[in-house]
């Protein structure tokens, strides 16, 4: 890694909330960056037992996100949800001038915090939309939200983009990626609660036509159901 890349990593670590930093100091075994341009995944957190019986974690991130904007990263991620069906529709994500690395490290570190402290299982208005780790409750299990790549379904035709984000706007999920599992839901809530409150980072999903005109726009951070869950997760973390 170059000196510039090391500086980006150090800044991202220093930007983590104090709780995350304390948990990582005790439980993070390795933070790695790999060259994997053909991989569909971007980040992975692996848990295993340490020699003292306490959980240990390895966090691995793709190196090409080191100096990428968060808007670019999230746009590419969301575009993978759809197949081109000739409609000319496409999705764009706006996250202001935020960078991808602090978001990714905060998200993965939130997995470490969650698994170390067992937070997602404690409820408090956060986990009640999950039957178990991967099973959504109704009405979300029977909605279009359950039919995305994040839920291990095939790509949707791009023409269904407006309907998919409309479904997101009627849900308590801060992002479509949060529907992947209870763990991803928790990590997304913690990450966006921190970024929106501390850094005023916005989040908007836009579906555009072939001329670049916006035909659907969703801002999850402004939704009452999402706001309630952000406040719930903030109150939960404040107890540690």
């Amino acid at each position: 890694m170059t000196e510039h890349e090391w500086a980006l990593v150090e800044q991202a670590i220093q930007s983590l909330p104090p709780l995350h930093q304390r948990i990582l100091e005790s439980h993070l075994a390795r933070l790695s960056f790999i060259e994997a341009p053909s991989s569909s995944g971007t980040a992975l957190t692996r848990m295993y037992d340490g020699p003292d019986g306490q959980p240990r974690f390895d966090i691995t991130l793709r190196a090409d996100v080191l100096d990428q904007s968060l808007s670019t990263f999230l746009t590419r991620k969301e575009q993978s949800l759809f197949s081109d069906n000739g409609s000319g529709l496409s999705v764009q994500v706006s996250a202001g001038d935020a960078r991808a690395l602090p978001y990714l490290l905060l998200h993965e570190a939130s997995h470490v915090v969650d698994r170390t402290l067992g937070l997602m299982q404690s409820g408090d208005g956060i986990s009640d939309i999950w039957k178990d780790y991967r099973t959504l409750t109704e009405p979300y299990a029977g909605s279009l939200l359950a039919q995305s790549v994040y839920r291990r379904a095939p790509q949707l035709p791009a023409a269904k983009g407006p309907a998919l984000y409309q479904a997101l706007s009627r849900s308590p999920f801060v992002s479509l990626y949060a529907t992947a599992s209870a763990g991803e839901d928790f990590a997304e809530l913690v990450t966006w609660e921190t970024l929106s409150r501390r850094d005023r980072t916005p989040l908007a999903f836009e579906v555009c036509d072939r001329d670049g005109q916006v035909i659907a726009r969703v801002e999850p951070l402004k939704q009452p159901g999402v706001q309630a869950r952000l406040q719930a997760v903030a109150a939960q973390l404040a107890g540690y």
Side-chain angles (χ1 to χ4, degrees):
M1 294 175 65
T2 66
E3 289 187 10
H4 172 67
E5 290 170 336
W6 273 117
L8 293 174
V9 174
E10 290 173 354
Q11 291 168 9
I13 292 173
Q14 292 169 4
S15 73
L16 292 172
L19 173 62
H20 288 60
Q21 293 193 35
R22 293 199 305 269
I23 295 293
L24 290 186
E25 285 174 0
S26 301
H27 296 278
L28 181 65
R30 181 185 296 269
L31 174 62
S32 303
F33 294 85
I34 62 170
E35 296 285 359
S38 62
S39 172
S40 59
T42 306
L44 176 67
T45 296
R46 184 174 72 95
M47 181 176 71
Y48 53 94
D49 289 334
D52 57 358
Q54 294 297 310
R56 292 289 185 274
F57 298 86
D58 292 342
I59 295 177
T60 304
L61 304 174
R62 264 178 37 186
D64 58 359
V65 304
L66 278 165
D67 208 6
Q68 194 174 91
S69 75
L70 182 53
S71 295
T72 297
F73 168 75
L74 292 177
T75 294
R76 291 175 178 172
K77 189 172 183 178
E78 293 292 290
Q79 288 175 345
S80 70
L81 299 178
F82 303 102
S83 61
D84 183 5
N85 67 332
S87 67
L89 299 185
S90 62
V91 61
Q92 302 288 329
V93 185
S94 176
D97 58 0
R99 309 305 299 173
L101 180 59
Y103 160 85
L104 282 165
L105 187 57
L106 177 54
H107 180 103
E108 296 305 314
S110 295
H111 285 312
V112 177
V113 171
D114 177 26
R115 295 174 188 175
T116 300
L117 301 178
L119 298 180
M120 192 61 185
Q121 285 74 32
S122 63
D124 298 327
I126 302 172
S127 61
D128 52 0
I129 58 177
W130 294 92
K131 286 185 178 180
D132 55 41
Y133 190 77
R134 294 197 182 277
T135 307
L136 291 164
T137 61
E138 294 294 349
Y140 312 112
S143 75
L144 196 58
L145 292 175
Q147 300 177 32
S148 79
V149 169
Y150 297 147
R151 298 285 301 163
R152 302 179 180 178
Q155 286 181 316
L156 288 167
K160 288 193 174 183
L164 180 60
Y165 289 102
Q166 287 170 9
L168 176 64
S169 72
R170 296 190 295 267
S171 80
F173 292 103
V174 71
S175 67
L176 289 172
Y177 189 61
T179 67
S181 68
E184 300 298 350
D185 186 20
F186 180 85
E188 282 287 271
L189 284 171
V190 174
T191 299
W192 282 108
E193 193 282 328
T194 301
L195 295 181
S196 62
R197 171 182 49 79
R198 184 190 66 191
D199 304 332
R200 300 292 188 267
T201 302
L203 178 63
F205 298 91
E206 297 178 341
V207 179
C208 304
D209 63 18
R210 65 177 70 253
D211 297 320
Q213 298 298 310
V214 177
I215 61 173
R217 179 181 172 88
V218 175
E219 296 181 78
L221 295 171
K222 297 182 179 180
Q223 300 296 332
V226 174
Q227 279 288 326
R229 299 185 78 220
L230 293 175
Q231 293 171 13
V233 80
Q236 185 184 48
L237 293 178
Y240 292 90

